[in-house]
Amino acid sequence: MIKKIMYGALMAFTMFSAIPLPFHGWDEDARPFMILFLPLVGVLHGFLWMSAAMLLTYFNVNALLASVLLSTFPFLLSGFIHIDGFMDVTDAIKSCRSKEERIRILKDPNCGSFAVISAIILFAVQFASLFVIFQNKNFLPLIFIPTISRTLSSLCVSILPTLAESQYNTEYQNKFNKLHISILFILFFATILCAVFYLDKYSFTLSGVILGYMFALQRAYSSLGGISGDVSGFCITISEMVGLLVLALAV
């Protein structure tokens, strides 16, 4: 069991993060544990995101340049895996085709115009939001935004019906048990409590993340009929954008 948990942690950081690791490994039986560690990937990415903002402030980097760097930083940390899902799902649901055709478009490796336009809008909103945040030097929420978005993703993958084509298919999902799901709920509420304690009035930033995730999930789920890795990436990307926007409006 301990070996599987360790493999699950290693697999989570290998799959969901582009940060180089000295060790690599894969155990198919450890895949359910991998989802348990996705929130910790969010903690690490959030900490590095906040640290990058503080470092740019320390070296008095121009606000425009710093905002560009901070906008791209989360995508670099994740190896573009979530923005890829965002673009794939956007192309699918914006096609306004039948459900079967939307799923075909979802798996199409080609990039459509809807994906490109949406990615430009996404980056513009994140850039503008981070420009405001950088000027006000309110960086602590940057830890919590990717943490809560990935915790929500772990929960949804664990309990919602999946697409037949998804890596999180029924056979894999059945390996989850009540303990796994309970741990994820505990992590979710613990993150919210920590945010309330440390962020004070800015803790409602997480409300933006949660509402953004729920909106994206409803949009994708109703269009495609299930959840997948791409849908998770779509929801994570939108929720983090909304969280940044709410934070920028609050400062």
Side-chain angles (χ1 to χ4, degrees):
M1 179 65 72
I2 295 178
K3 184 178 179 180
K4 288 184 179 180
I5 293 174
M6 292 176 64
Y7 261 109
L10 181 62
M11 291 159 59
F13 282 91
T14 300
M15 175 170 283
F16 302 118
S17 178
I19 300 172
L21 295 176
F23 305 105
H24 297 276
W26 190 270
D27 183 349
E28 193 64 25
D29 292 335
R31 288 188 68 174
F33 294 103
M34 179 177 68
I35 296 300
L36 289 177
F37 288 94
L38 180 56
L40 295 184
V41 174
V43 173
L44 176 60
H45 285 192
F47 176 78
L48 293 175
W49 200 9
M50 182 192 71
S51 300
M54 295 175 66
L55 196 63
L56 291 169
T57 299
Y58 179 79
F59 286 105
N60 199 29
V61 175
N62 178 272
L64 284 173
L65 177 58
S67 301
V68 171
L69 295 174
L70 291 174
S71 297
T72 57
F73 195 64
F75 304 138
L76 293 171
L77 286 176
S78 65
F80 301 97
I81 187 173
H82 302 311
I83 188 68
D84 176 70
F86 167 79
M87 296 179 74
D88 287 341
V89 174
T90 299
D91 263 342
I93 64 178
K94 288 292 184 181
S95 67
C96 298
R97 305 288 182 86
S98 65
K99 179 181 175 181
E100 292 73 20
E101 186 66 11
R102 288 194 293 267
I103 292 176
R104 185 196 66 78
I105 294 172
L106 178 67
K107 296 302 177 182
D108 192 334
N110 297 309
C111 183
S113 58
F114 290 123
V116 175
I117 294 169
S118 298
I120 292 172
I121 295 173
L122 171 76
F123 183 83
V125 173
Q126 291 203 168
F127 166 78
S129 299
L130 283 163
F131 180 76
V132 175
I133 294 167
F134 186 79
Q135 288 184 314
N136 286 271
K137 306 296 185 290
N138 187 24
F139 302 140
L140 187 58
L142 296 181
I143 293 181
F144 292 92
I145 290 174
T147 302
I148 202 70
S149 68
R150 284 158 178 78
T151 305
L152 283 169
S153 184
S154 297
L155 278 168
C156 290
V157 165
S158 303
I159 62 180
L160 293 179
T162 60
L163 292 175
E165 300 82 359
S166 172
Q167 61 176 320
Y168 307 116
N169 56 36
T170 304
E171 180 182 353
Y172 164 60
Q173 200 176 48
N174 286 340
K175 295 180 181 178
F176 287 106
N177 57 43
K178 292 182 179 180
L179 178 60
H180 291 171
I181 297 173
S182 298
I183 291 172
L184 290 173
F185 271 111
I186 290 171
L187 289 174
F188 175 74
F189 288 113
T191 302
I192 292 177
L193 288 175
C194 287
V196 171
F197 182 79
Y198 288 105
L199 299 184
D200 195 20
K201 64 178 182 179
Y202 294 112
S203 60
F204 65 84
T205 298
L206 294 192
S207 299
V209 179
I210 295 170
L211 290 175
Y213 195 99
M214 292 299 104
F215 168 79
L217 180 64
Q218 188 279 329
R219 187 76 175 90
Y221 193 88
S222 61
S223 296
L224 300 171
I227 196 165
S228 67
D230 285 334
V231 171
S232 293
F234 176 78
C235 297
I236 286 173
T237 303
I238 290 181
S239 67
E240 292 181 0
M241 179 197 70
V242 175
L244 289 172
L245 181 60
V246 169
L247 178 59
L249 291 172
V251 297

